[in-house]
Amino acid sequence: MNQGVARPSRAGRLSVLAIRLYRAGTKNRPFYRIVVSESARTPGSRVTEQIGVYDPTREPVVVRLDLTRADEWLRRGAHASHTVRSLIDRARTTATA
């Protein structure tokens, strides 16, 4: 069974990559980066690549995402979180509209 993109970690173990949200911004003003990072690490740890941004505080909500890079990472086997999966779907609908 495919467990995603296997990369050697610092400890020498293989780890799976995940596409997740990385919180930035200040207190009560969240701003998120959509990043690719090792799934075993905490969300605030080292980032492999930033592929987009998500700002839920703006009206309308801002979702900027490099769909070609997201597709490339998904094709390689990276796992997207539930929220990122919905943001990718939203970006696809806006790109085709």
Side-chain angles (χ1 to χ4, degrees):
M1 178 158 67
N2 184 3
Q3 292 296 320
V5 179
R7 295 179 40 155
S9 66
R10 290 185 197 185
R13 298 184 312 260
L14 293 179
S15 63
V16 178
L17 293 179
I19 304 174
R20 57 169 56 144
L21 295 177
Y22 179 99
R23 191 182 193 278
T26 60
K27 184 176 176 181
N28 297 324
R29 296 185 56 123
F31 176 86
Y32 299 92
R33 292 183 175 103
I34 303 169
V35 299
V36 179
S37 65
E38 294 180 18
S39 63
R41 294 183 177 259
T42 60
S45 66
R46 196 181 104 224
V47 171
T48 304
E49 181 181 357
Q50 179 178 330
I51 59 173
V53 294
Y54 169 55
D55 189 354
T57 60
R58 296 232 177 139
E59 192 60 43
V61 173
V62 174
V63 178
R64 285 184 312 215
L65 181 63
D66 186 351
L67 287 173
T68 56
R69 293 303 297 156
D71 289 337
E72 177 65 22
W73 282 110
L74 290 171
R75 186 185 64 75
R76 290 182 182 182
H79 298 281
S81 70
H82 180 73
T83 305
V84 170
R85 175 77 56 190
S86 66
L87 291 174
I88 290 172
D89 292 340
R90 182 187 293 185
R92 284 190 207 287
T93 27
T94 0
T96 58

